[in-house]
Amino acid sequence: DLGPQSVAILAQAGVVQRAVVAITGVFGERAPIAMTTVETPNVANTDSDATNKSDALETEPSSTNEATPGKGGLTVGSKAELEQDLPPERFVLLVMISVIQGYTLIGPLQHSFKVAMNIGDKGELSQVFTQAAALVQWGKFAMTLGQNVLLAKLSPLARVYIAMVGVGLGAIIPPLFVFTLGSKWLGWVFISFGLIGLSLGIFECTFLNVITPLGPLTKSWAIMGFPAAFFIINVFGFLLLSFGVPVEALFWYIVAGVPVGALIFAKRVVPRVREVTAILRPREQGEDGKAAADRTATVYKSILEWRAWLPALLPFMCMNIVGHFVMEGALPANFNTFNDKVVPLLGREDDENLMNKNRFMAVFFVFVGLGDMVSRRVGYCFSLNTYKSNMIALAGGLACCIAGMYLTTLGIGAVAWLSVFLAFWGQGFNYAVASKYIDRFVPRDHNLAAYSFWMFAGSAGAIAGSTMVEIIRAWICHGESYAHECLAAHHGH
C-alpha cells in the first residue's frame, strides 16, 4: 500500500503537466487518480523531504478552488478537486436502493399493508393507521439530528450498519407477522413504520458522509438511489402485481434487498473509502490509523464552530424545506384528487378522454422517477465553482418546484404528469446541488454536521407538506366534487 510519503515521492516531476498517476498497488484495474504536478528541484529522498511533499497534499482547499502550492513543490487545487478525478464507485447506487426500498412502504404498499390488517379507508382505525404511518416522517425528523446525541459514541460507519438493521427489521414485520402469520395486532404498524423512520433518519446523511472521500462522481450515483428505489417498487413492482404476483412477494423482495446492500457496502464500498482516504487524506486517518468513517463523529465541535459552515448552508436548507414540502404535499394530493376508477385527462369535467387509473398512475410514477433521477445526475454536470453559481442553480430548482405545485392545482390529468415531473426535477436538482456544495466547500470536519442540518430541514418540510395534503387538495378541487375526480371517497384502485 502507498502511504503519504510514497505518494509525495511520486509527485516529483521535472516538467509542468497534468500527470496520471496509476496507483496500482491500491486500485488495481480501476481508473487512475489524476494529479497536478509542477517543476520541482531534484532533492534527496529523505524522510523530511517526503514529509514536506506529503504536507502538500494536505493543504486545505481555498474558497476559490485555485491551485495552492505545497511545501515540496507539489500543487493541487484542493483535496476536493483531487477527488473529482476519482472514478465512480457505482455500487453505492445498489446500497442506497436496498435501504430506501424500505421507505417505499409509505407509498402504495402502505394501502396493501392496511388491507392485510383488515383496516378500511374510513373510521377510527384508519385514522390510527395513518398516524402510525406518519412515524416514518417523524422518525426521520428526530434522528437526522438526534443520532448525533443518542449515537454520539459511535462512528459514522457503525451508524450506517445500525440503520440497515433497523430498516430490515421494520420491513420484515408486514410480510412475516401480518401476511404469513396472520396477526392483526395494530402495534405492528407502529413498530414497523417507527423502525423504518428512525433508521432512515440515521442512514441517509451518515451514508452520504461516509462515501464523501470517493468523490462527486460516486456521490452522483448514490443520490440517484433514492428515486430509483421508488421507481423500482412503484413501477416495476406494481407491473408484476398486475400479472398476478402476490403483493407479499414485493414485501419479501424489499426485506431480501437489505442484507444484500449491507454486504455490498461492507465488501466493496467500505474498503474503497479506506483506500482513498489513506492516499488523498492521510491526516484524516487520525493517530490510530483509522479513517474518518471509522472514528467517533464529533458533531459537537461543528456546532461550536457553526460560523465556519452554517450561515452559508442556510439557503440550501431553505430550498430543501420547499422541495420536500412540494414532494410530500403535492404527490399524495394527486392521489386524493384522481380517486375514481378512471382519470379525466383534459380537465375536471372531461367525460370523453378518460384513462384507467392504474395505467394513469403507472405513467405518473414514470414521470416522478425520470424527474427525480435525471435531475440528480444533471446537477452534478454543472461545475458550480462559486457560491453565486450555486445560488443561481438553487433558484432554478426552486422555480421548477413552484411551477410544479402551481400546475398541480389545475387538476388536469395530463398536466399532472408535467407538474410532478417539474416538482421532482426541482427537488432532485437542488438535492444534487446541495450535496455537491457540502462536499466541496464545507470543511471536511463539518461534513456530517452539514448533512445532518440540511436533511433535518428537509424532514421539517416533509412533515409540513404531509400535514397539508387536504389543504392542497382543496386548492385543486375548490370544495367541489366532479364526475371522475375530487370524489368524497375513493371509488377504485
Side-chain angles (χ1 to χ4, degrees), residues 75-88:
T75 301
V76 292
S78 67
K79 298 174 191 175
E81 194 161 317
L82 275 176
E83 289 169 349
Q84 288 184 12
D85 294 322
L86 290 172

Side-chain angles (χ1 to χ4, degrees), residues 139-487:
K140 283 183 61 185
F141 179 76
M143 288 305 291
T144 298
L145 284 181
Q147 61 167 304
N148 297 305
V149 177
L150 299 178
L151 304 178
K153 298 296 184 180
L154 299 179
S155 68
L157 185 59
R159 297 183 193 183
V160 171
Y161 286 124
I162 289 175
M164 288 178 167
V165 171
V167 170
L169 292 175
I172 201 173
I173 287 175
L176 177 60
F177 293 102
V178 178
F179 285 97
T180 302
L181 300 180
S183 175
K184 309 302 179 187
W185 182 49
L186 195 59
W188 293 129
V189 184
F190 286 88
I191 296 173
S192 176
F193 286 123
L195 280 171
I196 291 173
L198 293 171
S199 301
L200 287 172
I202 299 170
F203 175 79
E204 191 176 2
C205 59
T206 311
F207 177 69
L208 293 180
N209 168 257
V210 168
I211 66 172
T212 294
L214 299 183
L217 296 180
T218 293
K219 189 66 69 73
S220 69
W221 281 92
I223 66 174
M224 287 194 297
F226 207 103
F230 277 85
F231 190 84
I232 290 171
I233 299 300
N234 293 338
V235 177
F236 293 114
F238 276 83
L239 179 63
L240 292 176
L241 297 186
S242 68
F243 286 101
V245 175
V247 70
E248 52 265 35
L250 209 50
F251 281 91
W252 280 116
Y253 158 75
I254 293 172
V255 173
V258 177
V260 172
L263 185 63
I264 294 174
F265 179 67
K267 297 297 184 181
R268 177 78 185 199
V269 178
V270 173
R272 177 73 162 158
V273 170
R274 290 170 177 159
E275 291 167 356
V276 172
T277 301
I279 294 174
L280 298 186
R281 297 177 179 268
R283 287 183 181 175
E284 290 186 6
Q285 287 185 290
E287 296 180 358
D288 55 3
K290 292 183 178 180
D294 297 298
R295 300 200 311 271
T296 301
T298 56
V299 173
Y300 178 70
K301 177 184 176 182
S302 298
I303 295 176
L304 293 179
E305 300 175 2
W306 62 272
R307 291 180 180 84
W309 58 275
L310 185 56
L313 189 65
L314 289 177
F316 299 89
M317 294 172 62
C318 291
M319 292 305 100
N320 210 21
I321 291 174
V322 174
H324 277 82
F325 174 87
V326 173
M327 280 200 314
E328 300 297 338
L331 192 64
N334 274 290
F335 299 154
N336 293 344
T337 298
F338 304 113
N339 55 352
D340 194 15
K341 294 180 180 180
V342 293
V343 175
L345 296 180
L346 301 183
R348 299 180 180 90
E349 299 180 357
D350 180 19
D351 289 326
E352 297 181 359
N353 303 283
L354 304 177
M355 187 175 186
N356 176 273
K357 181 182 177 180
N358 290 333
R359 295 173 184 172
F360 174 85
M361 286 300 171
V363 177
F364 186 88
F365 279 114
V366 167
F367 277 94
V368 169
L370 288 177
D372 207 355
M373 279 191 289
V374 176
S375 64
R376 293 179 186 230
R377 184 64 176 171
V378 170
Y380 269 85
C381 294
F382 292 90
S383 58
L384 302 179
N385 292 325
T386 66
Y387 192 74
K388 180 180 179 180
S389 64
N390 277 269
M391 295 301 101
I392 294 173
L394 287 180
L398 175 63
C400 289
C401 287
I402 294 175
M405 176 62 83
Y406 169 74
L407 293 177
T408 296
T409 63
L410 300 180
I412 301 174
V415 175
W417 295 331
L418 175 60
S419 73
V420 77
F421 177 85
L422 287 173
F424 277 77
W425 179 280
Q427 164 59 14
F429 182 78
N430 279 351
Y431 192 108
V433 170
S435 177
K436 189 173 182 179
Y437 169 83
I438 291 172
D439 291 343
R440 187 165 188 177
F441 292 101
V442 174
R444 188 56 55 90
D445 288 344
H446 308 311
N447 184 274
L448 178 58
Y451 271 118
S452 296
F453 275 78
W454 173 60
M455 291 185 178
F456 179 79
S459 297
I463 291 175
S466 62
T467 58
M468 292 186 63
V469 171
E470 291 304 316
I471 295 176
I472 297 173
R473 184 182 186 272
W475 295 346
I476 301 172
C477 301
H478 306 293
E480 301 291 336
S481 182
Y482 303 90
H484 301 295
E485 68 179 77
C486 297
L487 304 179

